[in-house]
Amino acid sequence: MASFQLRQFHFFKRESLDDLPEAFKQPELLLCSNGGDLIFIADSDGSIHIVNRSFIVRSFVATSEVPGTRITQMLHIHETRTLLTIEENVSIASSRPIIKLWPVDKLLRQTDVQPVTVKYQLPSSTPHPLTAVAATPSISQIALGFAGGHIVLIRGNIAKSKSTKQRTLHVAPEPVTNLHFIADDTGTSTTLFATTTAQTLAFDTSGSKSDPSILEERGCGIGCSLVSDEDELIVARDEAIYVYTTEGRGPCFAFDAPKVLLRRFRHYLLLATAAPSAMAPTMDHSRDDDDGLHLDSADSRVYSYNDATTFTILDTKNKLVAYTGVVAGGVRGVATEWGSVFVLGGHGTLDYFSEKDLLEKLDILYRQNLYPLAVKMAQNGNYDLASVAGIYKKYGDWLYSKDDFDTAMSQYMQTIGYVEPSYIIRKYLDAQRLISLASYLQELHTAGMATSDHTTLLLNCYTKLRDEERLNQFIHTQEDYQFDVDTAIHVCRQAGFYDQALYLADKFAKTGMYLKLKVEDQDDIKAALEYMHKLGDSDASVYLAEFGRRCLASLPRETTELLVEVCISGMNARAGAVDKSGGGDARRVSVAAVPMLSMRRIQHLFADQPAWLAAFLEQVIARRWQQPASTVGLSEDEENDVKSAWNTLLELYLCGVESPVVVSPRPAKKQAPKERALDLLRSSSASIDWDRAYILCASNGFTEGIAALYEQRGDVTALLELFIEHDDVRSMQSLLEKHGEEQPDLFIKALHYFARNPQLGNNERMLSECLATIEKYNLMSPLRVLQALGGSDRSGVTLGMVRGYIMRQIEASTRRIHDNEKIISSYAEKYMTHRDNMEALKTKPVVFQSTKCTSCMAPLDLPSVHFLCKHSYHQRCLGDIGDSCPKCQVENQALEDQRRRQELAAKQHEAFFNKLQTADDGFEVVASWFSKNPFAFTRLVDQ
């Protein structure tokens, strides 16, 4: 017996079936075949027994009644459910083999079934035994192999024994041992594999060509070949098992033993090997267990028979022996049906082999620590990936317990996605195992199963190992970056690997982190500014607001230029959006969508750089808001920015800050900051907040600026007071000349000032001008003028200075007195006349002497009506007029209305006091009030 080099296991359970039908107990069972859920057994009497799953046997006689006739070959054709038998008379050497085709379905239903006998001619005059037979699934071709080396092909409608043709394909010098048909996927090409004792051949039987293809100059024994599901020829020789295709020999499977039978079951090969008496130990079945094959010890080997055959089940996928055992009396037949293997022994035994389930197999391998084989078997057994990962985990744990950490990690890597990573990571946190941990974490990232914590741990491993090469490889060679980039950048930055952090930040557009590395860690302000210059306005605005102060501290000029460009670009974009939207609500919506760096939010960046803040504001104003039309139609935010820019620039000028950048167009001469501030205040395009500008100018003592503000607002009175406060006589004169005609009240304040300041050189001339204007417009009463001129101790006005004014006022007053006296006399005369008339009406009779009607001018006749006004009327002429004279009614009504107005005005006390407070001459108001006799309408209230 050959020494097996493969691992041996008992992955099949062997049972002997005792209660067999009588057909199995016959002394000689010669052949066994299976198919179609049936097992076929032929005995030495020429009978065939059909066994179903329930071991119910149906038998029939398949040979003639001639003595010595028996079945020598039997083949079940699955596709057509046909049983092919070869009948020969073994007692006559020159007998001709008879080929019969039996319909299986009829055999199961009927008892007197007549087979179809295949007609053919013997290939030679010398008869030879039929050693091999094969048929195509449709039974359109049958191949016969003889011991004399002839291979005969029969073609045609063989099932109906019509139109058959026969030809000899090949004549070999040695006996034919096996024949097998295969067909291509289309069924148009058919190949016949043939083996002799010395050759392995292939024939194309679909055409007329009969030249064989010699696959190898070696053959095999009868029953030692078969065709696999992949249409490959498998040949069992003593030293190995070989695989052939139509192109030639393929792989082989070493298994050294004299083979007498080859069958297959699923992916297993079933082998019967000869066991000579000198090498045939008896198997102790009582000691068979799951761990493998147990033989008796060398001292107790007992050989019970000489014709023993070893039955072996080979697992070609996993390269192991799944079962091996001895069959007493030799193997007469093997049937693979109903999911099991049935072995027919020479002594009428029937052994039943059932495959153990995969869990039992794996358990056997676990106990022997054969984890690689367990993995392979699970994969070939279509185990789910999670279960296979569990085997890798067991293998890794076993290796880890043996301190083989690196090999264990290679197994743990196979569990990624199925075993919790923390289980493995905890085992490798020791500093001496960081290399293996890094390998595992990198595989975890490749599989896309890593979290930010895993990324942190992996990068920490690289940084602790100072393995910059692997760190660069991890970062630079990733096609699909399966890790958290933010975490990776943070770890690299923390460990001082700035180049790697910058690479990741740049590749993944982590702009904020990139700029932090450049500005805060590498202090490379120039590169940071260049990077921000490439960004869009929106992004650049964000990062300039964040890093602008650091950049200004190092490169103020370059940073200021970038800030100006971003601001101007954003403003232009917003202006373009306004133009396209057409104004209204649509303007606000579109403008909101355009990003802009708000100037109010970036001025704090220049906290330590006031000169560059001035330069920034000057450039933005010059390029964007210098013209008045450029500030029309701005959004609310930009309007606020405009005001903020102008106000801040004014404040910088007032504080003496001078810009280091000259904004074109260049001025004719260099201006001081306060000169620039004055120009700013006088500019019509400057949007300056008046109140804030006033406070700034006042707090900095900038009188010219305050004057410019008053002048801009048109507040001439306040401007005059400012000049008076600062004794600016020249400016006062200019102001009075310019605005005196429009606002003569200015001369009143000027009069008071010049009266208090006699030391002024042109004081007398200015006093004369003031008095002339006051006199012209009657702005003050003479009394108040005299009080203003001499009412102060500081007054230096002499009588000579105002002599003309006084004389003119005395003359004017004299004329007014004379005129008033005339008016009073006329009023007195009228009063006396009216009083006498009223008294006469009360005390004397009235004589009416009118003879005509005042209305119609006709002579009066009765009835007539006479009024006290001496007007008479016909009664018919009056009609419904009433008791009032029609001719005097208008005048009387006017007097009545005047009386009512006086009565109403007498009750309006608040109006009287308001007029009294605002009038220059209060006495005149009181006199006028009394002239209207307000107390005449007073009524006593009965208490």
Side-chain angles (χ1 to χ4, degrees), residues 819-886:
D819 294 339
N820 289 336
E821 287 177 349
K822 287 182 179 181
I823 294 172
I824 291 172
S825 297
S826 66
Y827 284 167
E829 291 177 0
K830 288 182 180 181
Y831 172 75
M832 294 301 295
T833 302
H834 288 308
R835 190 183 66 176
D836 293 342
N837 291 336
M838 291 174 64
E839 187 65 25
L841 289 174
K842 291 179 181 180
T843 59
K844 295 179 181 179
V846 178
V847 179
F848 299 99
Q849 297 179 350
S850 178
T851 59
K852 294 183 179 181
C853 177
T854 306
S855 177
C856 63
M857 299 304 293
L860 285 173
D861 55 7
L862 296 177
S864 60
V865 178
H866 302 275
F867 293 93
L868 295 178
C869 60
K870 303 296 182 70
H871 294 143
S872 301
Y873 298 90
H874 295 113
Q875 188 174 10
R876 61 179 178 271
C877 292
L878 289 176
D880 297 330
I881 291 179
D883 55 356
S884 177
C885 175

Side-chain angles (χ1 to χ4, degrees), residues 248-264:
R249 197 179 86 174
C252 66
F253 188 82
F255 188 76
D256 189 11
K259 302 169 181 66
V260 296
L261 183 68
L262 175 65
R263 296 289 184 270
R264 69 184 180 88

Side-chain angles (χ1 to χ4, degrees), residues 475-476 488-489 492-493 497-519 521-522 524 527 531:
I475 292 175
H476 292 279
I489 296 173
C492 291
R493 182 189 182 194
F497 288 90
Y498 299 126
D499 293 338
Q500 289 78 5
L502 284 169
Y503 173 81
L504 289 174
D506 185 37
K507 185 174 184 64
F508 290 96
K510 302 292 184 180
T511 307
M513 186 58 69
Y514 184 91
L515 292 173
K516 278 187 178 180
L517 289 164
K518 282 293 184 184
V519 175
D521 297 318
Q522 294 187 331
D524 191 356
Y531 187 85

Side-chain angles (χ1 to χ4, degrees), residues 468-684:
E468 188 171 357
E469 181 180 355
R470 290 185 69 184
L471 178 60
N472 288 331
Q473 182 180 5
F474 174 73
I475 292 175
H476 292 279
T477 62
Q478 294 284 332
E479 295 181 0
D480 185 12
Y481 286 80
Q482 300 292 338
F483 57 81
D484 186 82
V485 178
D486 291 332
T487 303
I489 296 173
H490 176 73
V491 173
C492 291
R493 182 189 182 194
Q494 207 171 36
F497 288 90
Y498 299 126
D499 293 338
Q500 289 78 5
L502 284 169
Y503 173 81
L504 289 174
D506 185 37
K507 185 174 184 64
F508 290 96
K510 302 292 184 180
T511 307
M513 186 58 69
Y514 184 91
L515 292 173
K516 278 187 178 180
L517 289 164
K518 282 293 184 184
V519 175
E520 298 177 2
D521 297 318
Q522 294 187 331
D523 198 25
D524 191 356
I525 306 301
K526 183 177 181 181
L529 290 174
E530 292 175 354
Y531 187 85
M532 284 189 281
H533 194 74
K534 300 175 183 178
L535 300 175
D537 294 336
S538 177
D539 294 335
S541 301
V542 174
Y543 298 115
L544 279 171
E546 183 176 357
F547 303 106
R549 191 164 186 175
R550 285 284 299 270
C551 295
L552 283 168
S554 298
L555 297 174
R557 182 179 297 275
E558 291 81 356
T559 307
T560 302
E561 291 175 355
L562 181 58
L563 283 167
V564 171
E565 291 296 330
V566 171
C567 286
I568 295 299
S569 178
M571 293 174 190
N572 292 336
R574 293 169 67 90
V578 171
D579 294 338
K580 293 179 182 179
S581 65
D585 295 336
R587 177 178 73 87
R588 295 191 177 275
V589 174
S590 61
V591 168
V594 179
M596 186 186 75
L597 183 61
S598 175
M599 297 181 62
R600 288 167 292 156
R601 294 199 296 268
I602 66 169
Q603 291 182 13
H604 71 279
L605 301 177
F606 295 90
D608 301 327
Q609 306 284 340
W612 288 104
L613 176 58
F616 168 74
L617 295 174
E618 285 178 353
Q619 293 181 65
V620 173
I621 290 172
R623 294 174 59 180
R624 178 62 182 164
W625 301 316
Q626 191 67 49
Q627 301 300 324
S630 62
T631 59
V632 177
L634 298 180
S635 65
E636 183 178 354
D637 287 341
E638 191 169 358
E639 288 177 356
N640 294 332
D641 281 342
V642 172
K643 294 178 181 178
S644 176
W646 286 109
N647 292 328
T648 304
L649 186 59
L650 174 63
E651 184 175 0
L652 292 172
Y653 287 159
L654 292 177
C655 293
V657 176
E658 188 172 356
S659 170
V661 178
V662 178
V663 180
S664 60
R666 183 186 298 272
K669 65 175 183 177
K670 186 176 181 180
Q671 291 180 304
K674 289 197 174 182
E675 292 177 350
R676 291 188 176 186
L678 189 59
D679 292 342
L680 194 65
L681 291 170
R682 290 173 177 173
S683 174
S684 60

Side-chain angles (χ1 to χ4, degrees), residues 710-723:
Y710 283 145
E711 187 175 356
Q712 184 185 47
R713 179 179 274 190
D715 192 349
V716 181
T717 302
L719 185 59
L720 179 62
E721 291 176 351
L722 178 66
F723 293 152

Side-chain angles (χ1 to χ4, degrees), residues 307-323:
D307 57 350
T309 301
T310 301
F311 180 69
T312 304
I313 302 176
L314 289 180
D315 186 346
T316 56
K317 284 187 177 180
N318 300 309
K319 304 294 189 296
L320 56 86
V321 176
Y323 180 84

